[in-house]
Amino acid sequence: MTNSISLPRVGLGATGPRVGRIGLGAMGMSGMYGAADDRESRATIHAAIDAGADLVDTGDFYGAGHNELLIGKAIAERPRADVVLSVKFGGLRGPDGSWGGFDGRPAAVRNFVTYSLTRLGVDHIDIYRPARLDPDVPIEDTVGAIAELVEAGYVRHIGLSEIGADTLRRAHAVHPIVDLQIEYSLLTRGIEREILPVARELGIGITAYGVLSRGLLSDTFRTGGAPADAADFRTHSPRFQGENLTRNLRLVESLAEIAAAKGVSVAQLAIAWALSRGTDIVPVIGARSRARLTETLDALRITLSPAELAEIEAAAPADAVAGQRYAAAQMAALDSER
């Protein structure tokens, strides 16, 4: 397979911009999954934009600002109109990398956007979203502050991340929400119960991250075992620990048999499954190299029949994954899990 395909475009929710059918998640380019190469990262961003995967997602706390600086350098070499920037804000970090929670106060929102605009080297952000719900600040206040930035021209659209159905309704009543960024994959399907139906009712798109379950739904760990780099987020993830990993890799082996019979990789099968869930769902894939990006975009060529979808879901049932998707403290910060 090659990358010489025309990337389909979809509207992001009822009121959002049109974007490529697959987006690029940049978090892994700033050390969250171990060491990364800035030059290859920039080349990957360029390749994604050139292929039509123009939704580029970042967070102002990824690499303590490194990610935004990296993206800023990359997109400076392309027309601004060719990129749809999605930025999460609000994560608090100490100089030792420790976490200090999330800040959604209106004054903080204005502060965060100022630094993001500077690091990215742009005059506006296409989609701006709090990374998590601040339990001490009503969502109406946070969204209201972003709405003021929309009116002033610094932000084009408002998104949310890891928000539950009730909070989603409250936020949307203040200002139209174009998309909800939330984990959704073969192994993480909780949004299907309540969050996804409410998003569809309100005309809110889904930008799905974790489609490969942090690399679990790929060939990466089938022979190599658990991640070894201490800086890798997955060394602290319950799904990659001990017996949990052993059980989860059995699911991956079952999927690998299906993928091999179809002549595709496990990752491509997982992406194709996510794409099959509806055009209102845009997978955001964390490709850190041009080779991975090619593999990702080639998943658009895959068509899954109803029988194949049933076979995939039987091989990896929704409740079969072992371990939570985050450690306990991080799970507690997710409004989407309440």
Side-chain angles (χ1 to χ4, degrees), residues 228-233 235-236:
D229 191 329
D232 192 320
F233 161 86
T235 59
H236 309 289

Side-chain angles (χ1 to χ4, degrees), residues 255-272:
L255 292 169
E257 294 179 9
I258 299 171
K262 200 165 176 64
V264 302
S265 69
V266 174
Q268 288 173 325
L269 192 73
I271 295 168

Side-chain angles (χ1 to χ4, degrees), residues 3 41 80 83 129 134 164 190 236 242 250 282 290 295 327:
N3 247 357
S41 294
R80 177 65 182 88
V83 186
R129 70 184 82 239
D134 183 338
H236 309 289
R250 292 193 194 108
V282 175
R290 285 165 285 182
E295 179 185 15

Side-chain angles (χ1 to χ4, degrees), residues 127-128 143 146-147 150 155-160 175-179:
I127 309 167
Y128 201 51
V143 170
I146 307 173
V150 172
V155 170
R156 294 289 187 265
H157 304 280
I158 302 178
L160 293 171
H175 188 281
I177 303 299
V178 298
D179 75 303

Side-chain angles (χ1 to χ4, degrees), residues 43-338:
T44 302
I45 294 168
H46 289 158
I49 295 168
D50 294 344
D54 55 350
L55 177 65
V56 179
D57 181 78
T58 184
D60 63 5
F61 49 91
Y62 291 170
H66 170 271
N67 207 241
E68 288 185 322
L69 290 169
L70 174 73
I71 292 170
K73 290 179 182 178
I75 66 174
E77 300 174 19
R78 293 293 186 274
R80 177 65 182 88
D82 289 355
V83 186
V84 179
L85 283 174
S86 166
V87 178
K88 292 182 290 296
F89 70 87
L92 304 176
R93 301 189 70 172
D96 59 352
S98 59
W99 285 94
F102 297 89
D103 193 343
R105 295 171 301 145
V109 173
R110 292 187 288 272
N111 180 75
F112 288 133
V113 78
T114 301
Y115 290 114
S116 285
L117 290 168
T118 301
R119 284 190 290 259
L120 290 164
V122 298
D123 63 2
H124 72 276
I125 292 168
D126 298 288
I127 309 167
Y128 201 51
R129 70 184 82 239
R132 297 289 186 267
L133 177 68
D134 183 338
D136 298 322
V137 178
I139 191 63
E140 291 86 352
D141 291 357
T142 302
V143 170
I146 307 173
E148 292 176 358
L149 296 173
V150 172
E151 185 176 355
Y154 296 115
V155 170
R156 294 289 187 265
H157 304 280
I158 302 178
L160 293 171
S161 178
E162 289 291 352
I163 292 295
D166 291 343
T167 307
L168 192 59
R169 287 189 186 278
R170 289 168 51 200
H172 192 67
V174 175
H175 188 281
I177 303 299
V178 298
D179 75 303
L180 171 64
Q181 189 173 113
I182 195 164
E183 188 165 353
Y184 186 39
S185 74
L186 263 169
L187 300 184
T188 305
R189 297 177 61 181
I191 73 168
E192 294 176 347
R193 291 190 294 271
E194 185 178 9
I195 294 173
L196 182 56
V198 169
R200 285 175 166 163
E201 173 195 333
L202 299 175
I204 297 171
I206 297 291
T207 41
Y209 76 89
V211 170
L212 302 183
S213 292
R214 313 292 186 177
L216 188 60
L217 289 172
S218 70
D219 294 318
T220 302
F221 299 106
R222 289 176 59 208
T223 57
D229 191 329
D232 192 320
F233 161 86
R234 292 166 294 195
T235 59
H236 309 289
S237 171
R239 291 183 178 178
F240 289 85
Q241 304 298 314
E243 181 59 26
N244 285 349
L245 180 61
T246 300
R247 289 172 55 188
N248 291 333
L249 288 177
R250 292 193 194 108
L251 300 176
V252 179
E253 286 299 329
S254 298
L255 292 169
E257 294 179 9
I258 299 171
K262 200 165 176 64
V264 302
S265 69
V266 174
Q268 288 173 325
L269 192 73
I271 295 168
W273 177 88
L275 289 166
S276 77
R277 310 313 286 177
T279 57
D280 57 341
I281 294 172
V282 175
V284 176
I285 309 299
R288 293 194 290 167
S289 69
R290 285 165 285 182
R292 290 300 185 197
L293 178 68
T294 296
E295 179 185 15
T296 293
L297 298 184
D298 278 342
L300 287 160
R301 301 178 184 271
I302 302 170
T303 301
L304 298 173
S305 69
E308 288 173 323
L309 287 168
E311 182 182 14
I312 290 167
E313 292 175 17
D319 59 352
V321 66
Q324 298 283 358
R325 55 195 179 104
Y326 288 104
Q330 291 171 298
M331 287 294 291
L334 298 179
D335 184 64
S336 56
E337 293 289 342
R338 296 193 176 100

